[in-house]
Amino acid sequence: MKAQEITPGVYEIKILNASDEELMEISESMGLALTLEEMHKLRDFFATLGREPTDIEIHAIAQGWSEHCSYKSSKRVLRKYIFGIPSPDTLIVMQDDAGVVEFNDKYAYVFKIESHNHPSAVEPYGGAATGVGGIIRDVLNMGAKPIALVDPLFFGPPNYPYESLNPGVKHPRYLLNQVVAGIRDYGNRVGIPTVAGMTYFHEGFVNNVLVNAGCLGIVQKNKIVRSRVTKPGLKLVMVGGRTGRDGIHGVNFASKILSEKSEEEKQAVQLGNPILKEPLIHVVLEANDAGIIQGMKDLGGGGLGSVVGEMCHAGGVGVEVHLDRVLLKEKGMAPWEIWVSESQERMLLALEKKDIPRLQEICEKWDVEMSVIGETKDGHDLEIYWHEKRILHLPLEFVTAGVEYDRPYKIVKKKRMQEIPVEPNYREILLKLLNSFNIGSKEWIIRQYDHEVQGRTVVKPLQGVIGLESHGDAVVLKPLSDSWKGIGITTVANPRISKIDPYAGALYTIDEAVRNLVAVGARPHSFSDCLNFGNPEKEEIMGQFVESCRGLGDGARALGIPYVSGNVSFYNEAFGVNIPPTRVLMAVGIVDDIRTAVTMDFKEEGNPVYLVGETREEMGGSEYYTLIGAKSTTVPQVSLEKLKKRSGEILSAMRRGLVKSCHDVSHGGLAVTLAEMVIGSNMGAEVDLAPIGFMRPDFKLFSESPTRWVCEVDSSRADEFEKIVNATRIGVVDGTTLRVRDGTRWLFNIHVNILREKWRDALREYMG
Amino acid sequence: MLIFSGKNGEMLSENIWGEKMKAAILQMEGTNCEEESYLAFKHFGIDVEYVHINLLKKGKKSLEDYEVLFIPGGFSAGDYVRAGSIFAARLKAAAWKSLVKFVEDENKRVIGVCNGFQVLIELGFLPGTNGISSVPQAALATNNSNRFECRWVYVRNERKTHFTSLAPDVLSLPVAHAEGRFITTPKIMDEIVANKQIVLRYISPDGSEPEYPWDPNGSMAHIAGIVNSYGNILGLMPHPERAFYWYHHPDWSRKKRGVGDGYYIFKSLIESMH
């Protein structure tokens, strides 16, 4: 690489006459992760300017063009399927850092979910913590107070043999421990409750752990801040943490596949500091209350580089930045390092000059540092100065607009088949399912997160008799002290079904999100999607992505639920293995009155128990078939029309107070649903499967057919319930055992304590 | 006792003291239960304010102006060293004299919840078996489970104090901490017992001796909360402000309540100053 120092710390890179080989060497040695085609585009651009670029110019462009920042592989597909689902309540959708949706006359809720996968694979504790920190800022910079965190996590099985691990790959147990600790230590310290999430185990995540983090906030509608500035002459102020060498090239790193050398890229992992974040949240909210913020964006992936560019480009103004005014953690940083550093806990605010003293006063109260680093200008150019010398001068359009690809894709259709196993021992299968990693109790994880702080969590993640609780389907928050209106939150993903059929799996994921919200009495209102996939340069992986988006689009459009924010994580590939397609939905619902919210634990002996929805022989991707090793590609098929109808019926019955408990039927089927309701309430039930129809009992018990719930109904009002909800009466709450028969044939009779112990032991044996 | 509860489950606000009584909720980086606590005081019409420790230090706010001092939970300064010790050190540096004057005035009240309890111990205010101690007389050590846990527990109201006079015999409250195991020397424990300073003890739901998780941390004598020997300072690990309304309770759909159990702690405190 030929380079010449033009001012201390800044080099001019000779690319105009570079050969292809030299261009790739530049991409490699500067850590740009650009392709030859992209390097050509870069060279051609500077040829038209008639000059060589500086190192900071090349870094700025490479960052803007990274998969992480530009969505170059996904954008066209997202536009076709995901964007633009109409909804009367959306305020800001897919434009700023988080989606904004109307909550009531005065308030809006703000939320987003995103991935933090690659950093968590090499440095799980710091990576997970930073994932939480980053998503909090995305919500905060809309001017909203963060009130809830969610964390869907995906690991290899905890009992995975050590000797089978690839070089450099950390064991799932270690990763689980560290990731949970990272989320715990960050989320608890910053005082935002971690209320929901999921933990899923599958061999496909051994090399590539997935750590997704979501945040929801609440804001007065007239206090919403945009992630853009439209006015020249505003001061740009950095507030919060100092800038250091941590997190350099984080976005470029996130756009590569992992290998045994990934450990060496630890410097790409940022370091979070919750005790800087906590006062920073106060500073931002107080400044917003004072009405002095004209535009705001958080410094996450891409650092200053992507934030300054995107903020000004979106608002149609030019900008001038003086990098020597940025407060640094360490001496001797080169300007390009300052520009791309992803150091945490930093926000960029745009203010009128006259308001700077007010911000200063607020920062002093909270001991938070700030510095004025630049100013917006007329025009469309980005100019960077270093000790008064201009070291970058580029059109914002070229830096931020990035590139887009129509990646070729191939849709692999699997032939439909289904093995029929010999009839099992029902008692044994149910206890094994309860004891399996994906179904067993996650109490060890859930209780390490403070889910009560802020006092808004009115339906908890663990539901039932105190000390004996089971998993709830969703949580409900009461965001405002003077309103009964609530917000339901759940997170969902179905990698196993999606691996067989990404389209059907996407619809199933939507179905489960809706089921979970309806189970607590929440009307589904909006989605945020985090799309985790393998390497998009492989046609079948791109095919999974396209089919998934088509499914997500079709499902949400039919239900009238918009996607208001989201994130794509590609390149979850290592050692030639790609993760199963994992679309995570963070789904938000509205509970019109939290006093009508419902939990999943049985309430009273003598109450009838109903099954809502149709059970079919579709065992593909089910926990039962996985457990016994039977093969099936016959995955559950969703009828969106039925989903809409049944949801409406159940919500209507709940508003009338007819439903005493409700739980959706998902992993492990009806048997596991009933067992969990028994576990949480410490009350038994007697159930007869005969009314479900003519089918083998193991299919009735363990099928994971969609659009199904179990409802316990007030015994004095069963007739009223039957008139409203299309449901089948299958049993009654009674005793201290779960007793199930199919007509005259008894299948099992298990005491609640045995069910609970098996369920609790699933992870306890591994995690303590 | 009259409970001010509307028929649809809303808790009507009560104005016992008008705007006359002033309460301060202390803040520094990492305190994070201030909002729930603020709402609880507001419910009784108390003139409650957030007071950042920097405002005390710079003399912009003064403790003399308040009747109640509330030290909320959280992770002050991250609690990267012993929980509460940095908050205590900063408080000492910022306002030691006025703080001592405050706690020695028996007409004033101090509550520390969770991290606030840890701070009160670090300051030597609790157990305070013979008044303020120059060195901590006890510690809130790492839970026996060796991890942070968020769960609901039952505590027995051991005796009528300024903070518990109106509370029922058994309260259900949430805990959320990694360091809550109360430990001290046998001598100081004897003094605590002799002074009747134990106010709240963990119990199991059937009233028997609690084992984990009913005693969530393994405290000596299952201590969940204590007062100082003068009875005007309370420190407790459970969070009464997170159990203020009936809908804070995890089992509200199983058991009807007019108010949350934590309500009685605030109510007792405010009535005690009447």
Side-chain angles (χ1 to χ4, degrees), chain A residues 113 152 154 197-198 473 490-495 508-517 528 530 582-587 664 667:
Chain A
I113 185 163
F154 301 81
M198 59 178 292
D473 292 307
T490 188
T491 60
V492 188
N494 306 89
Y508 191 85
T509 299
I510 287 185
D511 187 88
E512 190 176 342
V514 169
R515 253 148 51 200
N516 284 349
L517 289 173
S528 182
C530 186
T582 308
R583 306 137 317 223
V584 178
L585 285 188
M586 175 176 177
D664 89 310
H667 300 284

PDB file of all heavy atoms in Angstrom, chain A residues 113 152 154 197-198 473 490-495 508-517 528 530 582-587 664 667:
ATOM      1  N   ILE A 113     -35.926  -3.696  18.036  1.00  0.00           N
ATOM      2  CA  ILE A 113     -35.077  -4.810  18.443  1.00  0.00           C
ATOM      3  C   ILE A 113     -33.941  -4.921  17.443  1.00  0.00           C
ATOM      4  O   ILE A 113     -34.132  -4.659  16.252  1.00  0.00           O
ATOM      5  CB  ILE A 113     -35.873  -6.132  18.544  1.00  0.00           C
ATOM      6  CG1 ILE A 113     -34.999  -7.256  19.092  1.00  0.00           C
ATOM      7  CG2 ILE A 113     -36.499  -6.526  17.205  1.00  0.00           C
ATOM      8  CD1 ILE A 113     -35.776  -8.446  19.592  1.00  0.00           C
ATOM      9  N   PRO A 152     -33.999 -11.850  23.391  1.00  0.00           N
ATOM     10  CA  PRO A 152     -34.039 -13.203  22.830  1.00  0.00           C
ATOM     11  C   PRO A 152     -32.612 -13.704  22.570  1.00  0.00           C
ATOM     12  O   PRO A 152     -31.807 -12.999  21.970  1.00  0.00           O
ATOM     13  CB  PRO A 152     -34.786 -13.029  21.504  1.00  0.00           C
ATOM     14  CG  PRO A 152     -35.369 -11.648  21.562  1.00  0.00           C
ATOM     15  CD  PRO A 152     -34.479 -10.854  22.451  1.00  0.00           C
ATOM     16  N   PHE A 154     -29.956 -17.166  21.564  1.00  0.00           N
ATOM     17  CA  PHE A 154     -29.916 -18.452  20.859  1.00  0.00           C
ATOM     18  C   PHE A 154     -28.530 -19.072  21.024  1.00  0.00           C
ATOM     19  O   PHE A 154     -27.531 -18.454  20.649  1.00  0.00           O
ATOM     20  CB  PHE A 154     -30.238 -18.237  19.379  1.00  0.00           C
ATOM     21  CG  PHE A 154     -31.597 -17.604  19.168  1.00  0.00           C
ATOM     22  CD1 PHE A 154     -31.765 -16.235  19.301  1.00  0.00           C
ATOM     23  CD2 PHE A 154     -32.700 -18.385  18.862  1.00  0.00           C
ATOM     24  CE1 PHE A 154     -33.015 -15.650  19.143  1.00  0.00           C
ATOM     25  CE2 PHE A 154     -33.949 -17.809  18.691  1.00  0.00           C
ATOM     26  CZ  PHE A 154     -34.110 -16.428  18.833  1.00  0.00           C
ATOM     27  N   GLY A 197     -38.276 -12.020  26.768  1.00  0.00           N
ATOM     28  CA  GLY A 197     -37.181 -12.568  25.992  1.00  0.00           C
ATOM     29  C   GLY A 197     -37.434 -14.033  25.769  1.00  0.00           C
ATOM     30  O   GLY A 197     -38.513 -14.543  26.090  1.00  0.00           O
ATOM     31  N   MET A 198     -36.480 -14.699  25.213  1.00  0.00           N
ATOM     32  CA  MET A 198     -36.601 -16.140  25.057  1.00  0.00           C
ATOM     33  C   MET A 198     -35.193 -16.704  24.987  1.00  0.00           C
ATOM     34  O   MET A 198     -34.242 -15.990  24.658  1.00  0.00           O
ATOM     35  CB  MET A 198     -37.376 -16.482  23.786  1.00  0.00           C
ATOM     36  CG  MET A 198     -36.738 -15.943  22.519  1.00  0.00           C
ATOM     37  SD  MET A 198     -37.648 -16.429  21.035  1.00  0.00           S
ATOM     38  CE  MET A 198     -37.338 -18.200  21.022  1.00  0.00           C
ATOM     39  N   ASP A 473     -46.940 -15.907  28.739  1.00  0.00           N
ATOM     40  CA  ASP A 473     -46.821 -15.751  27.286  1.00  0.00           C
ATOM     41  C   ASP A 473     -46.288 -14.377  26.919  1.00  0.00           C
ATOM     42  O   ASP A 473     -45.583 -14.209  25.933  1.00  0.00           O
ATOM     43  CB  ASP A 473     -48.191 -15.935  26.628  1.00  0.00           C
ATOM     44  CG  ASP A 473     -48.666 -17.367  26.757  1.00  0.00           C
ATOM     45  OD1 ASP A 473     -47.903 -18.253  26.373  1.00  0.00           O
ATOM     46  OD2 ASP A 473     -49.778 -17.586  27.251  1.00  0.00           O
ATOM     47  N   THR A 490     -44.024  -9.245  23.812  1.00  0.00           N
ATOM     48  CA  THR A 490     -43.528 -10.621  23.731  1.00  0.00           C
ATOM     49  C   THR A 490     -42.445 -10.703  22.653  1.00  0.00           C
ATOM     50  O   THR A 490     -42.353  -9.823  21.801  1.00  0.00           O
ATOM     51  CB  THR A 490     -44.667 -11.610  23.418  1.00  0.00           C
ATOM     52  OG1 THR A 490     -44.177 -12.945  23.530  1.00  0.00           O
ATOM     53  CG2 THR A 490     -45.209 -11.403  22.009  1.00  0.00           C
ATOM     54  N   THR A 491     -41.609 -11.725  22.719  1.00  0.00           N
ATOM     55  CA  THR A 491     -40.644 -11.978  21.641  1.00  0.00           C
ATOM     56  C   THR A 491     -40.777 -13.431  21.196  1.00  0.00           C
ATOM     57  O   THR A 491     -41.015 -14.317  22.019  1.00  0.00           O
ATOM     58  CB  THR A 491     -39.192 -11.737  22.086  1.00  0.00           C
ATOM     59  OG1 THR A 491     -38.896 -12.617  23.164  1.00  0.00           O
ATOM     60  CG2 THR A 491     -38.974 -10.311  22.516  1.00  0.00           C
ATOM     61  N   VAL A 492     -40.626 -13.660  19.910  1.00  0.00           N
ATOM     62  CA  VAL A 492     -40.891 -14.973  19.335  1.00  0.00           C
ATOM     63  C   VAL A 492     -39.885 -15.293  18.234  1.00  0.00           C
ATOM     64  O   VAL A 492     -39.460 -14.396  17.504  1.00  0.00           O
ATOM     65  CB  VAL A 492     -42.300 -14.992  18.690  1.00  0.00           C
ATOM     66  CG1 VAL A 492     -42.666 -16.395  18.257  1.00  0.00           C
ATOM     67  CG2 VAL A 492     -43.344 -14.467  19.628  1.00  0.00           C
ATOM     68  N   ALA A 493     -39.522 -16.562  18.107  1.00  0.00           N
ATOM     69  CA  ALA A 493     -38.755 -17.037  16.958  1.00  0.00           C
ATOM     70  C   ALA A 493     -38.955 -18.538  16.839  1.00  0.00           C
ATOM     71  O   ALA A 493     -39.176 -19.210  17.849  1.00  0.00           O
ATOM     72  CB  ALA A 493     -37.268 -16.733  17.129  1.00  0.00           C
ATOM     73  N   ASN A 494     -38.902 -19.077  15.644  1.00  0.00           N
ATOM     74  CA  ASN A 494     -39.093 -20.513  15.436  1.00  0.00           C
ATOM     75  C   ASN A 494     -38.070 -21.056  14.438  1.00  0.00           C
ATOM     76  O   ASN A 494     -38.410 -21.412  13.315  1.00  0.00           O
ATOM     77  CB  ASN A 494     -40.511 -20.790  14.916  1.00  0.00           C
ATOM     78  CG  ASN A 494     -41.561 -20.176  15.816  1.00  0.00           C
ATOM     79  OD1 ASN A 494     -41.943 -19.019  15.635  1.00  0.00           O
ATOM     80  ND2 ASN A 494     -41.995 -20.913  16.802  1.00  0.00           N
ATOM     81  N   PRO A 495     -36.804 -21.144  14.851  1.00  0.00           N
ATOM     82  CA  PRO A 495     -35.755 -21.556  13.916  1.00  0.00           C
ATOM     83  C   PRO A 495     -35.978 -22.952  13.318  1.00  0.00           C
ATOM     84  O   PRO A 495     -35.663 -23.184  12.163  1.00  0.00           O
ATOM     85  CB  PRO A 495     -34.485 -21.548  14.778  1.00  0.00           C
ATOM     86  CG  PRO A 495     -34.810 -20.678  15.938  1.00  0.00           C
ATOM     87  CD  PRO A 495     -36.279 -20.830  16.174  1.00  0.00           C
ATOM     88  N   TYR A 508     -45.759 -18.780  10.946  1.00  0.00           N
ATOM     89  CA  TYR A 508     -45.919 -19.392  12.265  1.00  0.00           C
ATOM     90  C   TYR A 508     -45.409 -18.444  13.357  1.00  0.00           C
ATOM     91  O   TYR A 508     -45.985 -18.330  14.434  1.00  0.00           O
ATOM     92  CB  TYR A 508     -45.163 -20.722  12.332  1.00  0.00           C
ATOM     93  CG  TYR A 508     -45.501 -21.529  13.559  1.00  0.00           C
ATOM     94  CD1 TYR A 508     -46.601 -22.371  13.581  1.00  0.00           C
ATOM     95  CD2 TYR A 508     -44.726 -21.422  14.718  1.00  0.00           C
ATOM     96  CE1 TYR A 508     -46.926 -23.095  14.713  1.00  0.00           C
ATOM     97  CE2 TYR A 508     -45.055 -22.137  15.860  1.00  0.00           C
ATOM     98  CZ  TYR A 508     -46.147 -22.977  15.845  1.00  0.00           C
ATOM     99  OH  TYR A 508     -46.483 -23.689  16.981  1.00  0.00           O
ATOM    100  N   THR A 509     -44.324 -17.746  13.069  1.00  0.00           N
ATOM    101  CA  THR A 509     -43.765 -16.806  14.039  1.00  0.00           C
ATOM    102  C   THR A 509     -44.755 -15.666  14.299  1.00  0.00           C
ATOM    103  O   THR A 509     -44.959 -15.249  15.440  1.00  0.00           O
ATOM    104  CB  THR A 509     -42.422 -16.262  13.521  1.00  0.00           C
ATOM    105  OG1 THR A 509     -41.536 -17.366  13.360  1.00  0.00           O
ATOM    106  CG2 THR A 509     -41.803 -15.278  14.485  1.00  0.00           C
ATOM    107  N   ILE A 510     -45.356 -15.172  13.234  1.00  0.00           N
ATOM    108  CA  ILE A 510     -46.374 -14.132  13.416  1.00  0.00           C
ATOM    109  C   ILE A 510     -47.536 -14.675  14.241  1.00  0.00           C
ATOM    110  O   ILE A 510     -48.024 -14.027  15.170  1.00  0.00           O
ATOM    111  CB  ILE A 510     -46.862 -13.640  12.044  1.00  0.00           C
ATOM    112  CG1 ILE A 510     -45.762 -12.796  11.424  1.00  0.00           C
ATOM    113  CG2 ILE A 510     -48.170 -12.864  12.170  1.00  0.00           C
ATOM    114  CD1 ILE A 510     -46.120 -12.146  10.139  1.00  0.00           C
ATOM    115  N   ASP A 511     -47.959 -15.900  13.909  1.00  0.00           N
ATOM    116  CA  ASP A 511     -49.054 -16.526  14.640  1.00  0.00           C
ATOM    117  C   ASP A 511     -48.725 -16.613  16.129  1.00  0.00           C
ATOM    118  O   ASP A 511     -49.543 -16.257  16.984  1.00  0.00           O
ATOM    119  CB  ASP A 511     -49.296 -17.932  14.068  1.00  0.00           C
ATOM    120  CG  ASP A 511     -50.525 -18.606  14.647  1.00  0.00           C
ATOM    121  OD1 ASP A 511     -51.615 -18.412  14.091  1.00  0.00           O
ATOM    122  OD2 ASP A 511     -50.385 -19.306  15.679  1.00  0.00           O
ATOM    123  N   GLU A 512     -47.504 -17.033  16.437  1.00  0.00           N
ATOM    124  CA  GLU A 512     -47.148 -17.181  17.848  1.00  0.00           C
ATOM    125  C   GLU A 512     -47.082 -15.826  18.557  1.00  0.00           C
ATOM    126  O   GLU A 512     -47.476 -15.702  19.720  1.00  0.00           O
ATOM    127  CB  GLU A 512     -45.815 -17.927  18.010  1.00  0.00           C
ATOM    128  CG  GLU A 512     -45.568 -18.299  19.470  1.00  0.00           C
ATOM    129  CD  GLU A 512     -44.308 -19.124  19.701  1.00  0.00           C
ATOM    130  OE1 GLU A 512     -43.779 -19.704  18.745  1.00  0.00           O
ATOM    131  OE2 GLU A 512     -43.863 -19.160  20.865  1.00  0.00           O
ATOM    132  N   ALA A 513     -46.592 -14.813  17.860  1.00  0.00           N
ATOM    133  CA  ALA A 513     -46.543 -13.476  18.462  1.00  0.00           C
ATOM    134  C   ALA A 513     -47.948 -13.006  18.817  1.00  0.00           C
ATOM    135  O   ALA A 513     -48.205 -12.497  19.913  1.00  0.00           O
ATOM    136  CB  ALA A 513     -45.877 -12.500  17.494  1.00  0.00           C
ATOM    137  N   VAL A 514     -48.871 -13.211  17.885  1.00  0.00           N
ATOM    138  CA  VAL A 514     -50.258 -12.806  18.124  1.00  0.00           C
ATOM    139  C   VAL A 514     -50.856 -13.625  19.263  1.00  0.00           C
ATOM    140  O   VAL A 514     -51.501 -13.097  20.174  1.00  0.00           O
ATOM    141  CB  VAL A 514     -51.084 -12.973  16.819  1.00  0.00           C
ATOM    142  CG1 VAL A 514     -52.575 -12.817  17.093  1.00  0.00           C
ATOM    143  CG2 VAL A 514     -50.621 -11.960  15.778  1.00  0.00           C
ATOM    144  N   ARG A 515     -50.603 -14.951  19.226  1.00  0.00           N
ATOM    145  CA  ARG A 515     -51.113 -15.830  20.282  1.00  0.00           C
ATOM    146  C   ARG A 515     -50.662 -15.359  21.664  1.00  0.00           C
ATOM    147  O   ARG A 515     -51.445 -15.282  22.603  1.00  0.00           O
ATOM    148  CB  ARG A 515     -50.525 -17.227  20.078  1.00  0.00           C
ATOM    149  CG  ARG A 515     -51.480 -18.248  19.563  1.00  0.00           C
ATOM    150  CD  ARG A 515     -50.788 -19.254  18.699  1.00  0.00           C
ATOM    151  NE  ARG A 515     -49.606 -19.882  19.251  1.00  0.00           N
ATOM    152  CZ  ARG A 515     -48.674 -20.489  18.502  1.00  0.00           C
ATOM    153  NH1 ARG A 515     -48.807 -20.522  17.192  1.00  0.00           N
ATOM    154  NH2 ARG A 515     -47.634 -21.056  19.059  1.00  0.00           N
ATOM    155  N   ASN A 516     -49.369 -15.045  21.773  1.00  0.00           N
ATOM    156  CA  ASN A 516     -48.823 -14.648  23.072  1.00  0.00           C
ATOM    157  C   ASN A 516     -49.468 -13.370  23.579  1.00  0.00           C
ATOM    158  O   ASN A 516     -49.798 -13.250  24.761  1.00  0.00           O
ATOM    159  CB  ASN A 516     -47.308 -14.423  22.956  1.00  0.00           C
ATOM    160  CG  ASN A 516     -46.542 -15.735  22.894  1.00  0.00           C
ATOM    161  OD1 ASN A 516     -47.111 -16.795  23.133  1.00  0.00           O
ATOM    162  ND2 ASN A 516     -45.276 -15.651  22.570  1.00  0.00           N
ATOM    163  N   LEU A 517     -49.629 -12.404  22.692  1.00  0.00           N
ATOM    164  CA  LEU A 517     -50.225 -11.132  23.119  1.00  0.00           C
ATOM    165  C   LEU A 517     -51.680 -11.341  23.525  1.00  0.00           C
ATOM    166  O   LEU A 517     -52.125 -10.866  24.572  1.00  0.00           O
ATOM    167  CB  LEU A 517     -50.125 -10.094  21.992  1.00  0.00           C
ATOM    168  CG  LEU A 517     -48.713  -9.575  21.706  1.00  0.00           C
ATOM    169  CD1 LEU A 517     -48.715  -8.695  20.469  1.00  0.00           C
ATOM    170  CD2 LEU A 517     -48.160  -8.808  22.910  1.00  0.00           C
ATOM    171  N   SER A 528     -41.536  -5.217  15.645  1.00  0.00           N
ATOM    172  CA  SER A 528     -40.184  -4.876  15.229  1.00  0.00           C
ATOM    173  C   SER A 528     -39.522  -6.211  14.905  1.00  0.00           C
ATOM    174  O   SER A 528     -39.724  -7.188  15.626  1.00  0.00           O
ATOM    175  CB  SER A 528     -39.449  -4.164  16.367  1.00  0.00           C
ATOM    176  OG  SER A 528     -38.156  -3.806  15.949  1.00  0.00           O
ATOM    177  N   CYS A 530     -36.088  -8.564  13.933  1.00  0.00           N
ATOM    178  CA  CYS A 530     -34.644  -8.708  13.883  1.00  0.00           C
ATOM    179  C   CYS A 530     -34.372  -9.967  13.079  1.00  0.00           C
ATOM    180  O   CYS A 530     -34.710 -11.067  13.503  1.00  0.00           O
ATOM    181  CB  CYS A 530     -34.086  -8.823  15.298  1.00  0.00           C
ATOM    182  SG  CYS A 530     -32.302  -8.820  15.318  1.00  0.00           S
ATOM    183  N   THR A 582     -33.434 -17.286  11.428  1.00  0.00           N
ATOM    184  CA  THR A 582     -33.988 -16.919  12.736  1.00  0.00           C
ATOM    185  C   THR A 582     -34.508 -15.491  12.703  1.00  0.00           C
ATOM    186  O   THR A 582     -33.771 -14.538  12.891  1.00  0.00           O
ATOM    187  CB  THR A 582     -32.905 -17.073  13.829  1.00  0.00           C
ATOM    188  OG1 THR A 582     -32.337 -18.379  13.719  1.00  0.00           O
ATOM    189  CG2 THR A 582     -33.486 -16.896  15.213  1.00  0.00           C
ATOM    190  N   ARG A 583     -35.794 -15.401  12.384  1.00  0.00           N
ATOM    191  CA  ARG A 583     -36.403 -14.071  12.444  1.00  0.00           C
ATOM    192  C   ARG A 583     -37.018 -13.921  13.817  1.00  0.00           C
ATOM    193  O   ARG A 583     -37.876 -14.697  14.197  1.00  0.00           O
ATOM    194  CB  ARG A 583     -37.521 -13.892  11.421  1.00  0.00           C
ATOM    195  CG  ARG A 583     -37.152 -14.201  10.007  1.00  0.00           C
ATOM    196  CD  ARG A 583     -38.253 -14.960   9.397  1.00  0.00           C
ATOM    197  NE  ARG A 583     -38.679 -15.940  10.369  1.00  0.00           N
ATOM    198  CZ  ARG A 583     -38.943 -17.167  10.072  1.00  0.00           C
ATOM    199  NH1 ARG A 583     -38.859 -17.603   8.875  1.00  0.00           N
ATOM    200  NH2 ARG A 583     -39.331 -18.006  11.011  1.00  0.00           N
ATOM    201  N   VAL A 584     -36.577 -12.928  14.511  1.00  0.00           N
ATOM    202  CA  VAL A 584     -37.113 -12.678  15.846  1.00  0.00           C
ATOM    203  C   VAL A 584     -38.095 -11.524  15.751  1.00  0.00           C
ATOM    204  O   VAL A 584     -37.790 -10.490  15.165  1.00  0.00           O
ATOM    205  CB  VAL A 584     -35.986 -12.320  16.825  1.00  0.00           C
ATOM    206  CG1 VAL A 584     -36.557 -12.020  18.197  1.00  0.00           C
ATOM    207  CG2 VAL A 584     -34.979 -13.454  16.902  1.00  0.00           C
ATOM    208  N   LEU A 585     -39.269 -11.745  16.292  1.00  0.00           N
ATOM    209  CA  LEU A 585     -40.224 -10.640  16.353  1.00  0.00           C
ATOM    210  C   LEU A 585     -40.324 -10.145  17.782  1.00  0.00           C
ATOM    211  O   LEU A 585     -40.436 -10.935  18.713  1.00  0.00           O
ATOM    212  CB  LEU A 585     -41.629 -11.094  15.926  1.00  0.00           C
ATOM    213  CG  LEU A 585     -41.895 -11.315  14.450  1.00  0.00           C
ATOM    214  CD1 LEU A 585     -43.386 -11.575  14.238  1.00  0.00           C
ATOM    215  CD2 LEU A 585     -41.472 -10.101  13.636  1.00  0.00           C
ATOM    216  N   MET A 586     -40.270  -8.826  17.940  1.00  0.00           N
ATOM    217  CA  MET A 586     -40.670  -8.209  19.197  1.00  0.00           C
ATOM    218  C   MET A 586     -42.046  -7.631  18.880  1.00  0.00           C
ATOM    219  O   MET A 586     -42.182  -6.772  18.002  1.00  0.00           O
ATOM    220  CB  MET A 586     -39.686  -7.112  19.580  1.00  0.00           C
ATOM    221  CG  MET A 586     -40.091  -6.336  20.828  1.00  0.00           C
ATOM    222  SD  MET A 586     -38.789  -5.145  21.249  1.00  0.00           S
ATOM    223  CE  MET A 586     -39.530  -4.309  22.657  1.00  0.00           C
ATOM    224  N   ALA A 587     -43.067  -8.157  19.541  1.00  0.00           N
ATOM    225  CA  ALA A 587     -44.433  -7.764  19.217  1.00  0.00           C
ATOM    226  C   ALA A 587     -45.024  -6.977  20.379  1.00  0.00           C
ATOM    227  O   ALA A 587     -44.828  -7.325  21.542  1.00  0.00           O
ATOM    228  CB  ALA A 587     -45.277  -8.994  18.934  1.00  0.00           C
ATOM    229  N   ASP A 664     -51.092 -19.969  25.472  1.00  0.00           N
ATOM    230  CA  ASP A 664     -51.073 -20.416  24.076  1.00  0.00           C
ATOM    231  C   ASP A 664     -50.464 -21.811  23.979  1.00  0.00           C
ATOM    232  O   ASP A 664     -49.735 -22.254  24.865  1.00  0.00           O
ATOM    233  CB  ASP A 664     -50.323 -19.416  23.196  1.00  0.00           C
ATOM    234  CG  ASP A 664     -48.843 -19.709  23.121  1.00  0.00           C
ATOM    235  OD1 ASP A 664     -48.229 -19.883  24.191  1.00  0.00           O
ATOM    236  OD2 ASP A 664     -48.299 -19.758  22.013  1.00  0.00           O
ATOM    237  N   HIS A 667     -44.489 -24.704  21.840  1.00  0.00           N
ATOM    238  CA  HIS A 667     -43.477 -25.766  21.964  1.00  0.00           C
ATOM    239  C   HIS A 667     -43.959 -26.889  22.876  1.00  0.00           C
ATOM    240  O   HIS A 667     -44.266 -26.670  24.038  1.00  0.00           O
ATOM    241  CB  HIS A 667     -42.175 -25.181  22.531  1.00  0.00           C
ATOM    242  CG  HIS A 667     -41.595 -24.108  21.664  1.00  0.00           C
ATOM    243  ND1 HIS A 667     -40.930 -24.371  20.499  1.00  0.00           N
ATOM    244  CD2 HIS A 667     -41.623 -22.767  21.782  1.00  0.00           C
ATOM    245  CE1 HIS A 667     -40.555 -23.241  19.942  1.00  0.00           C
ATOM    246  NE2 HIS A 667     -40.965 -22.237  20.696  1.00  0.00           N
TER     247      HIS A 667
END
